[in-house]
Amino acid sequence: MRLFNQSKKVAAVHDLSGVGHVSLMAVIPILSSMGIQVCPLPTAVLSTHTQYPEYTFLDLTDEMRRMTECWKHLDFTFDAFYTGYLGSPAQVQIVEDLIEHFKRPDDLVVVDPVLGDNGRLYKGFGEEMILEMRRLIRRADVITPNITEVFLLLDRPQPEEALSDECLKELLKALSDQGPEIVIATSVPVTDNPHMTSVYAYNRRGDRYWKVTCPYLPAHYPGTGDSFTSVITGSLMQGDSLPIALDRATQFILQGIRATFGYEYNNMDGIMLEKVLHNLDMPIQSCSYELLE
Ligand code: PXL
């Protein structure tokens, strides 16, 4: 018998970066605040994320194998598996093994295919990481690429011009055809409106497309993708519908950016999560999702 009041557990496969509010330093506080127990399987330890001019990097590929074996011996179970920034292409195989061994039929697999942003790959990543990430998304129930990652995963050049709703629907469907039931594309520019940004989503079950558009503040904060997907993961684990999860996640990111933007601050340090975490306890403030016909 599963106890009714036990917290759900998520195995979280991300790096630990000392400064910058990215990866585990977004995943752990957000999911813990949402009442979910985070079990980290760290992929690498860095001084900072890789967008600072300098950083140290410790690859934990071998340790991940050891930790996974230990978890197997101890017969742990998880309700969800959530992967983000990987430290080496070889880690995809380890994650596949983790899912293969531990995933039960109702467990959730969320893959945030972290590869790049603003049309460029992150430092340290090359063709092999793209190829392996294309393999990993086939195992996922939910993927959350930004628009740069959408084109990298589909092996298509990213066009300069703005993308229509029809075009986005085709891209999401093409990704879902590879395996994931739910595809969420973030950081999509809004045609002729530099002050807005959209998130598009497709749910194969029900064959419906959703869009949430929200104000865009002219600043780039690393880690917002990690915070976004963490809220999506927590929200789906709590039983929210896809459009409600989209609304919760976009509102949380907007609150985080608004809380940070007014300070004289180095944007590389990421959004000031500590100022907005308590918002995750509150019911959703307003709904702004649209169903795309
Ligand atoms: O937020 C994505 C991310 C995660 N982890 C590390 C990164 C980045 C993006 O730059 O460098 C180490």
Side-chain angles (χ1 to χ4, degrees):
M1 184 185 84
R2 278 204 222 180
L3 294 178
F4 293 115
N5 58 355
Q6 215 169 300
S7 334
K8 290 195 170 180
K9 288 210 292 283
V10 55
V13 188
H14 303 257
D15 69 282
L16 179 64
S17 285
V19 176
H21 290 108
V22 302
S23 35
L24 284 177
M25 289 316 296
V27 175
I28 298 172
I30 288 173
L31 283 162
S32 300
S33 301
M34 296 177 87
I36 289 156
Q37 183 191 345
V38 181
C39 306
L41 182 62
T43 60
V45 175
L46 294 87
S47 52
T48 63
H49 60 66
T50 62
Q51 295 178 51
Y52 283 94
E54 184 184 329
Y55 60 91
T56 66
F57 181 92
L58 175 67
D59 178 355
L60 293 179
T61 306
D62 291 336
E63 193 59 20
M64 283 172 72
R65 290 197 184 95
R66 287 156 47 86
M67 286 182 66
T68 310
E69 284 311 306
C70 179
W71 285 358
K72 286 183 189 171
H73 294 154
L74 294 172
D75 263 339
F76 289 147
T77 57
F78 302 98
D79 303 283
F81 305 85
Y82 167 25
T83 79
Y85 180 100
L86 300 181
S88 71
Q91 292 181 2
V92 166
Q93 178 69 55
I94 298 171
V95 175
E96 285 178 331
D97 176 54
L98 178 85
I99 295 168
E100 180 75 29
H101 182 90
F102 288 98
K103 187 187 173 317
R104 300 165 300 176
D106 289 341
D107 291 347
L108 177 72
V109 179
V110 179
V111 171
D112 184 7
V114 176
L115 290 170
D117 203 1
N118 299 311
R120 284 202 306 269
L121 276 180
Y122 291 131
K123 264 181 257 162
F125 286 172
E127 195 58 29
E128 207 187 335
M129 187 61 102
I130 304 174
L131 292 174
E132 289 302 291
M133 207 53 98
R134 284 185 195 143
R135 224 177 76 208
L136 184 57
I137 62 166
R138 295 171 180 272
R139 301 284 186 134
D141 299 309
V142 181
I143 61 170
T144 59
N146 61 37
I147 194 66
T148 300
E149 290 156 349
V150 166
F151 285 97
L152 288 169
L153 291 169
L154 288 171
D155 199 13
R156 298 190 200 174
Q158 187 169 351
E160 295 282 320
E161 64 275 12
L163 305 164
S164 64
D165 284 355
E166 280 317 301
C167 176
L168 258 304
K169 283 163 81 172
E170 191 274 323
L171 293 166
L172 298 189
K173 177 78 173 57
L175 282 171
S176 175
D177 285 345
Q178 303 190 5
E181 186 167 282
I182 293 179
V183 178
I184 302 172
T186 62
S187 309
V188 183
V190 173
T191 313
D192 296 331
N193 191 344
H195 303 296
M196 302 296 274
T197 177
S198 296
V199 171
Y200 285 77
Y202 174 59
N203 190 347
R204 196 169 60 223
R205 187 182 307 186
D207 194 27
R208 288 197 288 181
Y209 294 87
W210 304 95
K211 177 162 103 169
V212 178
T213 298
C214 64
Y216 177 78
L217 296 177
H220 167 73
Y221 297 95
T224 47
D226 302 330
S227 294
F228 178 88
T229 308
S230 299
V231 179
I232 293 282
T233 303
S235 194
L236 293 177
M237 288 179 79
Q238 288 175 348
D240 288 333
S241 68
L242 174 59
I244 292 295
L246 295 171
D247 263 337
R248 285 182 78 179
T250 44
Q251 277 176 27
F252 180 73
I253 299 304
L254 185 61
Q255 286 160 352
I257 293 176
R258 286 220 168 108
T260 312
F261 188 68
Y263 290 98
E264 304 313 320
Y265 180 78
N266 181 358
N267 293 353
M268 281 294 112
D269 295 349
I271 53 175
M272 294 180 180
L273 272 181
E274 298 76 11
K275 294 207 181 278
V276 286
L277 274 179
H278 60 271
N279 294 349
L280 291 168
D281 274 348
M282 295 183 215
I284 185 133
Q285 309 289 310
S286 67
C287 281
S288 51
Y289 66 76
E290 293 170 60
L291 176 65
L292 291 181
E293 296 301 345

